[in-house]
Amino acid sequence: MDGWVCPLPLRDHPNVILGHGGGGKLSSELVEHIFLPAFRNDALQNLGDSAVVHIGGQRLAMSTDSFVVRPLFFPGGSIGELAINGTVNDLAMSGATPLYLSVGFIVEEGLPIATLGTIVERMAAAARAAGVDLVTGDTKVVDKGHGDGLYVNTTGIGLIPPGVNIAPQNARPGDVVIVSGSLGDHGMAVMSVREGLEFETQIVSDSAPLNGLVAALLNVTPHIHVLRDPTRGGAASSLNEIAKASGAGIVLEERAIPVKPAVRAACELLGMDPLYVANEGKLIAMVPREYADAVLEAMRAHVFGAEATIIGQVVESHRGVVVAKTGIGGTRVVDMQIGEQLPRIC
């Protein structure tokens, strides 16, 4: 335990539990108290979706992500598209143009070759759609019973254009908070398959590459302060991370938050809050109010931002805290969840 930072992480858990991978407070503690003290450096310290490093006079964004979703196929996608779109989106959230990806496969003995082939074909199609190349990779096979069929890791690099400075620390009072579309689609699509739930309207994952949408926003203005794709832990966790990093307060208008009726019904059935459900094709943007109308217009003109809307603002008060104005005129704190609401969905 030498080198650990006091107070020790994991609250009352002496061993790792699933909640440590859920994107909530337990995940944050694991990073802050174990990984950061060991690996600390300027690039890692920013804790963004991707690291920004300087090489040869250019700014390079780099990101890595591992995908352990179960089941491997779900309405609207598979682990293959997730592995491409997830890393492409992490790079795009720093304003970078994604260029190259690596891929690592951890395959469980017994996985049908046809299943692996289908997933690989879907990955290739997703990479072409995102405009990136898979340029290196690795494959490991583990004993039967030591995995859920297939785990995939992707790592990506991209270039950040001059004049672009997007980071969670940049949120400023007066910024508006924009979401590119309805929340909770991906998480509930996976849960509906896993739990055998049927609804009048099938819930489909929103998995999509967002680099084209980000490029459209940067064509409007380079003065975008924050971009974030609310994956694990949903919008609530992403907004809390931004509030903590910037030291600003965030106020949401609960009635303005877009959630599809089928997703809302599924959440109510399962006792979940859509704000905490993962998304794989949505982004949250924080921009100065004077650019809000132009940014909204650009987002709504893009296929992946057609339902974009303003859901709140950044404020001076209650620094580091996210609150929501409810439909009946009250206010509630939107805290970061402790563990995970939905396991193994990305």
Side-chain angles (χ1 to χ4, degrees):
M1 295 171 63
D2 292 344
W4 284 18
V5 173
C6 194
L8 290 175
L10 315 185
R11 296 175 185 267
D12 297 324
H13 304 288
N15 301 311
V16 173
I17 62 174
L18 281 175
H20 287 115
K25 287 183 178 178
L26 288 176
S27 294
S28 179
E29 289 177 354
L30 208 61
V31 171
E32 292 180 8
H33 298 293
I34 293 186
F35 299 139
L36 271 182
F39 304 140
R40 190 180 303 277
N41 57 60
D42 290 342
L44 186 63
Q45 192 70 25
N46 287 329
L47 295 179
D49 284 332
S50 60
V52 178
V53 296
H54 299 258
I55 298 177
Q58 292 186 308
R59 287 182 301 158
L60 193 71
M62 182 175 181
S63 183
T64 190
D65 206 343
S66 298
F67 298 84
V68 295
V69 65
R70 178 171 55 85
L72 299 178
F73 298 90
F74 46 83
S78 71
I79 191 173
E81 291 98 329
L82 277 185
I84 299 297
N85 295 335
T87 294
V88 164
N89 293 345
D90 283 345
L91 294 170
M93 293 307 110
S94 64
T97 301
L99 297 174
Y100 301 108
L101 266 60
S102 72
V103 58
F105 295 101
I106 299 177
V107 187
E108 182 183 1
E109 180 186 23
L111 180 74
I113 291 293
T115 299
L116 181 60
T118 299
I119 290 170
V120 168
E121 288 174 359
R122 290 192 175 199
M123 291 182 72
R128 287 193 295 272
V132 297
D133 291 323
L134 289 160
V135 294
T136 188
D138 179 58
T139 302
K140 296 289 189 297
V141 178
V142 297
D143 293 342
K144 191 173 182 61
H146 288 253
D148 279 331
L150 177 67
Y151 301 144
V152 181
N153 172 274
T154 49
T155 298
I157 58 172
L159 288 176
I160 302 175
V164 172
N165 179 19
I166 298 172
Q169 295 83 357
N170 293 348
R172 296 287 182 272
D175 287 354
V176 296
V177 181
I178 301 174
V179 65
S180 61
S182 59
L183 297 179
D185 297 11
H186 173 71
M188 297 318 301
V190 175
M191 281 298 292
S192 66
V193 175
R194 188 182 303 167
E195 302 301 325
L197 302 176
E198 293 185 1
F199 303 95
E200 291 185 3
T201 302
Q202 186 184 41
I203 301 175
V204 177
S205 170
D206 59 354
S207 177
L210 298 176
N211 51 324
L213 177 59
V214 171
L217 303 187
L218 292 174
N219 281 337
V220 173
T221 174
H223 302 296
I224 295 172
H225 287 163
V226 182
L227 291 173
R228 198 83 178 205
D229 59 334
T231 53
R232 288 181 312 163
S237 293
S238 294
L239 290 167
N240 272 282
E241 289 169 0
I242 295 167
K244 182 179 178 181
S246 65
I250 297 174
V251 177
L252 303 177
E253 298 290 340
E254 202 166 60
R255 282 184 172 180
I257 298 171
V259 179
K260 291 176 180 172
V263 172
R264 189 178 298 283
C267 286
E268 289 176 353
L269 178 66
L270 298 172
M272 297 174 176
D273 185 337
L275 278 174
Y276 293 89
V277 179
N279 315 270
E280 289 291 345
K282 301 293 171 16
L283 65 79
I284 293 170
M286 295 185 181
V287 301
R289 183 169 296 280
E290 59 266 35
Y291 300 112
D293 290 342
V295 167
L296 264 181
E297 183 178 358
M299 292 178 79
R300 289 170 177 169
H302 194 279
V303 63
F304 296 135
E307 299 175 340
T309 188
I310 295 174
I311 62 170
Q313 60 182 325
V314 183
V315 297
E316 290 274 8
S317 58
H318 54 77
R319 290 178 173 272
V321 176
V322 181
V323 302
K325 293 183 178 178
T326 66
I328 58 173
T331 300
R332 68 181 176 100
V333 173
V334 180
D335 201 1
M336 182 178 284
Q337 62 185 347
I338 299 294
E340 60 182 345
Q341 191 173 229
L342 296 168
R344 307 289 291 277
I345 55 177
C346 59

